[in-house]
Amino acid sequence: QLQLQESGPRLVKPSETLSLTCTVSGDSVNRRNSFWGWIRQPPGKGLDWIGSLEYNGRTYFNSSLMTRVAMSIDTSKNQFSLTLNSVTAADTAVYYCARIRQRFWSGSYVHFFDFWGPGTLVTVSS
Amino acid sequence: IQMAQSPSSVSASVGDRVTITCRASQNINSWLAWYQQKPGQAPKLLIYDVFTLEDGVPSRFSGGGSVTDFTLTISSLQPEDVATYYCLQTNPFHSLTFGGGTKVEI
């Protein structure tokens, strides 16, 4: 059964770097044509896509965050990771990792999140 | 592409039909999914490709629409359907974008 679990520091100081890891069980992060993603949700607000990571390491980022974000895959540990630098209080959120299902539909490839981790609240505060 | 949901919240009785709307700022063809999020939980995939129910999702949920206007309908609201619902534009070439959410209460 597929499971994803986020881990990392729950408290980060302003201007520092947020680092999270998602451990996957029940699937392989280097399975051909697999995609993996990060989404965040500020307290009491809606969902924001942060970025996606292809099995071969190719990345796709939300344009609003792309100057501060990086993602990587560790196939030896079956994990993928998120780093977000120069954080501010506005980056306080529940961070979710998720598996992406890719389909060819209505003339294009589409991506949507079919399995999610439980999420982890990261607070940016001094 | 921006995704706008309405209403932002709705209160209905058990057994009522509830319809939520998601409007895209430009043509997104049929690239749309719906999620249900209960308090303190991660979102759950309900519908993808506008109208295809994910395995295990009750048949009282249905999706429709095309181009810019889409709907999620709960045909007979149940107590366990209390949640916030989000639409998602699913074409990665236009960036994956969620709607602002609709809170459904009884």
Side-chain angles (χ1 to χ4, degrees), chain B residues 31-80:
Chain B
W31 306 317
L32 192 94
W34 289 97
Y35 290 84
Q36 175 193 64
Q37 186 180 32
K38 297 182 178 180
Q41 297 184 17
K44 172 189 172 184
L45 176 65
L46 291 179
I47 289 171
Y48 60 92
D49 298 347
V50 176
F51 53 77
T52 303
L53 259 61
E54 177 71 342
D55 290 345
V57 173
S59 59
R60 64 180 179 272
F61 291 93
S62 63
S66 64
V67 188
T68 59
D69 294 316
F70 302 88
T71 57
L72 171 70
T73 298
I74 308 172
S75 61
S76 177
L77 187 66
Q78 299 302 304
E80 59 267 32

Side-chain angles (χ1 to χ4, degrees), chain A residues 52-91:
Chain A
S52 303
L53 181 61
E54 198 169 348
Y55 73 102
N56 57 12
R58 184 175 179 180
T59 53
Y60 311 80
F61 299 133
N62 187 319
S63 59
S64 67
L65 295 170
M66 63 187 307
T67 59
R68 300 195 290 133
V69 67
M71 295 181 185
S72 61
I73 280 184
D74 185 340
T75 57
S76 66
K77 296 180 180 178
N78 210 33
Q79 296 175 334
F80 61 100
S81 299
L82 165 72
T83 59
L84 182 66
N85 58 37
S86 304
V87 298
T88 71
D91 295 310

Side-chain angles (χ1 to χ4, degrees), chain A residues 2-22:
Chain A
L2 178 63
Q3 290 187 330
L4 295 90
Q5 181 66 57
E6 305 88 351
S7 59
R10 305 296 179 93
L11 181 64
V12 182
K13 289 182 169 54
S15 80
E16 296 191 346
T17 296
L18 179 158
S19 296
L20 293 173
T21 296
C22 183

Side-chain angles (χ1 to χ4, degrees), chain A residues 41 101 103 105-106 111 113, chain B residues 29-30 35 49 54 90:
Chain A
Q41 184 171 35
R101 187 182 306 171
R103 287 171 47 81
W105 169 251
S106 196
H111 287 180
F113 310 101
Chain B
N29 207 331
S30 295
Y35 290 84
D49 298 347
E54 177 71 342
T90 59

